[in-house]
Amino acid sequence: MKFKSLLVVGALVSLNVVAADEPKADPVTEAGIVKITWQDVDSYRDVKAVSDIQSRYETRTFETLTKNLNKEAAKHFKPNQKLEMVVTDVDLAGDVRPTFGATTNDLRVIKDLYPPRMTFSYKVLDGDQVIVAGDEKLTDMSFMHTTGIRSDKPLSYESKMLADWLKKSITPQL
């Protein structure tokens, strides 16, 4: 009987190893005129869920950032223009801390010490023609001291960082 159990456990473990070896597709989010490919998500510095399933949290985070960036881009882009990005690293504002059993969830602590960061390449298309392209490494060191931030909205610091980048770096080139 023990041998049968061992065989079953061995088979299940080997199935998990085979499933883990399959490459995971990079998620792509699209909202209006913004399309973002989230490349190699598992290597990101910090997109850690504190009270949700990790995959669901990542999906919601990526969709929210795309939607918020689209709102800002729609204000500045001409009708035929589109923004495409490939994000290679994300570090959300704050740091995830364990509660050591005090609660069932970890906590995200927001302090000046942990600013939002994002690394990506981008291109602005007018029809099929690339009119602006480049690589960015954004960090908002003053994210806690910016007026007008409403911290009750999810990902407000990251969304403001992307909106500021769009206004300062991309809009003048259009």
Side-chain angles (χ1 to χ4, degrees):
M1 187 65 170
K2 287 183 181 182
F3 184 69
K4 277 186 180 178
S5 298
L6 228 87
L7 283 176
V8 170
V9 170
L12 290 174
V13 168
S14 66
L15 284 175
N16 283 340
V17 170
V18 170
D21 288 344
E22 291 178 19
K24 194 165 92 173
D26 292 334
V28 176
T29 53
E30 199 163 355
I33 58 175
V34 175
K35 179 181 178 183
I36 303 177
T37 302
W38 305 90
Q39 192 174 59
D40 196 16
V41 174
D42 293 336
S43 71
Y44 287 3
R45 243 187 244 183
D46 173 21
V47 184
K48 294 183 184 96
V50 292
S51 63
D52 200 354
I53 296 169
Q54 183 64 32
S55 61
R56 211 169 25 188
Y57 179 75
E58 288 172 1
T59 300
R60 191 173 56 250
T61 297
F62 300 155
E63 287 173 353
T64 301
L65 289 173
T66 304
K67 183 183 78 173
N68 291 346
L69 185 58
N70 181 62
K71 279 184 191 175
E72 193 61 38
K75 296 176 190 175
H76 304 284
F77 281 39
K78 294 176 183 154
N80 208 21
Q81 294 176 338
K82 188 174 182 175
L83 173 64
E84 292 184 2
M85 298 170 57
V86 177
V87 177
T88 55
D89 192 21
V90 175
D91 186 356
L92 298 177
D95 188 40
V96 175
R97 303 280 175 84
T99 58
F100 301 109
T103 68
T104 57
N105 302 322
D106 293 338
L107 297 173
R108 181 171 291 278
V109 177
I110 307 290
K111 289 185 176 183
D112 293 16
L113 189 59
Y114 312 112
R117 301 167 200 249
M118 192 175 286
T119 305
F120 58 89
S121 61
Y122 67 91
K123 59 185 173 183
V124 176
L125 303 163
D126 193 347
D128 290 334
Q129 183 181 5
V130 176
I131 54 174
V132 181
D135 296 317
E136 289 289 341
K137 264 189 158 179
L138 300 181
T139 302
D140 186 0
M141 296 301 286
S142 63
F143 77 105
M144 294 285 290
H145 306 289
T146 308
T147 57
I149 277 285
R150 290 189 6 210
S151 62
D152 61 336
K153 286 188 173 182
L155 305 165
S156 57
Y157 299 119
E158 295 79 6
S159 295
K160 178 155 183 3
M161 178 178 70
L162 287 169
D164 289 347
W165 164 77
L166 194 69
K167 283 188 251 182
K168 292 175 185 172
S169 299
I170 302 300
T171 303
Q173 297 182 50
L174 300 176

